[in-house]
Amino acid sequence: MEENFREIHIGSMIRQCVADRGISFSRIKKVFKVQESDVQFIYEAKSMETELMLKWSKLLEYDLFRLYSQHLILYAPPVSASDKDSRLFPVKEKNIYTKEMIDFIIETLDTGKKTKKQVLEEYRIPKTTLHKWLAKYK
């Protein structure tokens, strides 16, 4: 599934995943107990309730929540030291980069959409990490 992590349209992601996996409408109907028009409405939805998204994740055997996690890793503003002290929840210091994210960043470089310097600055990826990815995945 090709993702655009900046703009997430969950319905179109689900539609693409259903097509990629060849899931029939009869299976979707059986799991969700819906009509075709209801599924079309889901495909057009920009967002959805978490319980429904969890059901779709199970049906598709794909973690749809990962799309939002990757968005946060790539686009959330950095947290200052004073903000860290006042947070209710602990802050995870180390980012975990998924294969989809690495592929997205390498594709961004390969297509010339961004330079290495832009990727390092915008996504706050350590320079050594980026060079390891390029050596390993190119």
Side-chain angles (χ1 to χ4, degrees):
M1 187 183 332
E2 183 180 320
E3 291 91 358
N4 177 350
F5 299 113
R6 186 174 292 275
E7 296 294 325
I8 299 170
H9 188 287
I10 198 65
S12 63
M13 296 291 187
I14 289 171
R15 175 186 293 147
Q16 182 179 351
C17 202
V18 165
D20 290 348
R21 287 167 170 62
I23 297 173
S24 67
F25 175 72
S26 61
R27 185 166 173 211
I28 294 170
K29 185 177 178 178
K30 184 177 178 182
V31 171
F32 293 101
K33 298 171 180 56
V34 294
Q35 299 300 315
E36 192 168 351
S37 61
D38 298 323
V39 175
Q40 192 59 40
F41 180 76
I42 288 169
Y43 289 164
E44 294 170 6
K46 183 167 171 47
S47 61
M48 68 175 52
E49 291 182 11
T50 54
E51 284 187 43
L52 182 57
M53 198 159 77
L54 181 61
K55 274 187 165 181
W56 275 103
S57 293
K58 289 176 181 177
L59 174 67
L60 300 171
E61 296 177 357
Y62 183 83
D63 181 5
L64 294 167
F65 296 94
R66 180 183 300 174
L67 300 169
Y68 295 97
S69 299
Q70 291 169 343
H71 173 88
L72 289 173
I73 291 169
L74 291 173
Y75 300 107
V79 178
S80 69
S82 62
D83 289 344
K84 289 180 185 179
D85 297 335
S86 64
R87 289 183 172 250
L88 178 61
F89 297 105
V91 176
K92 185 175 182 180
E93 293 297 327
K94 185 174 180 179
N95 289 333
I96 297 174
Y97 302 99
T98 63
K99 179 72 169 100
E100 289 93 347
M101 287 178 56
I102 294 168
D103 291 344
F104 171 77
I105 290 168
I106 290 173
E107 180 183 330
T108 301
L109 290 171
D110 286 347
T111 58
K113 291 179 184 173
K114 293 186 191 288
T115 65
K116 286 182 186 178
K117 183 178 179 183
Q118 289 172 315
V119 166
L120 294 172
E121 290 173 1
E122 186 172 336
Y123 303 132
R124 301 179 316 276
I125 298 170
K127 190 175 185 178
T128 55
T129 302
L130 181 61
H131 288 289
K132 286 179 186 175
W133 291 348
L134 292 172
K136 184 175 181 179
Y137 297 109
K138 268 195 137 183

